[in-house]
Amino acid sequence: ESSVNKDVLGVKPGNVLVTVRDYNTLSHLRWVLERTDTDEQDVVVLSARMTGPGSAEYDLSTEQIFSDYEQKLFTETVKVAEKVGKTISLVVVPARDPFSAIIQTANELESSAIVAGLSSKMTAEEQAYRLGQAWEAIPGQKRQIVFQVVRPDETVATFRIGPHTPDIKTEDVHLIHRLWLKMRKSPG
């Protein structure tokens, strides 16, 4: 299809978008599938197919978007889903910037969460920062989304993308309260 949205893909709003890039590192997909009731919440597996400069001038053929590599990647993702006994939806999108492709797809699909494996080149925090930058660049209506990075040891870093209340430690809340009380005692 020329565009990706929840109706074209046949998924419900609130789905989980799982990014994949390397068929040897799909433990984050298994992690999602083990924790998701796919009868209630759809799981969409996304591969952002990197395209070079100048390629946007011409329509890409199916072979250019869905190469042998994507075929192998999706074969392995389906194997993971079958082992867990769950269904998934698969999508490939051409992209110059993977973070823009991920966040735009999540926004179009009305995803509630994006889950990725830990990058070999970036920390989880850097991945979240780049995704947040891409979120800020989207024009129009945007949804707040949870971004989770699943490390190989299955520890998870969770970030909120979009406007949200900050995560504040209990001791920081108490400090703010004490400062507020002091300020109230000494107006001006």
Side-chain angles (χ1 to χ4, degrees), residues 2 24 47 54 66 70 78 94 96-97 118 123 132 145 151 162 179 182 186-187:
S2 60
N24 294 306
S47 174
F66 195 76
E70 277 77 24
V78 169
R96 288 196 180 156
D97 174 36
L118 182 63
T123 65
I145 196 157
R151 296 180 180 95
L179 289 170
K182 272 187 176 179
S186 310

Side-chain angles (χ1 to χ4, degrees), residues 92-146:
V92 178
V93 295
R96 288 196 180 156
D97 174 36
F99 295 98
S100 290
I102 292 165
I103 203 71
Q104 287 178 29
T105 302
N107 200 52
E108 288 297 320
L109 295 179
E110 298 181 24
S111 302
S112 63
I114 299 170
V115 179
L118 182 63
S119 168
S120 61
K121 298 176 183 172
M122 290 182 241
T123 65
E125 291 75 12
E126 289 169 316
Q127 287 175 263
Y129 177 75
R130 295 279 305 275
L131 199 64
Q133 285 180 311
W135 186 91
E136 291 292 343
I138 295 175
Q141 187 71 17
K142 301 180 263 193
R143 293 168 176 56
Q144 180 187 13
I145 196 157
V146 173

Side-chain angles (χ1 to χ4, degrees), residues 19-68:
T19 65
V20 294
R21 184 161 175 84
D22 180 354
Y23 56 79
N24 294 306
T25 56
L26 296 174
S27 60
H28 64 291
L29 172 60
R30 183 182 42 75
W31 181 87
V32 168
L33 292 170
E34 289 173 348
R35 289 160 178 76
T36 305
D37 178 354
T38 55
D39 291 331
E40 297 295 320
Q41 187 176 32
D42 295 316
V43 173
V44 179
V45 177
L46 169 72
S47 174
R49 172 79 160 120
M50 297 308 295
T51 58
S55 62
E57 296 174 21
Y58 309 101
D59 287 336
L60 295 173
S61 70
T62 302
E63 293 78 26
Q64 288 173 302
I65 296 172
F66 195 76
S67 69
D68 290 342

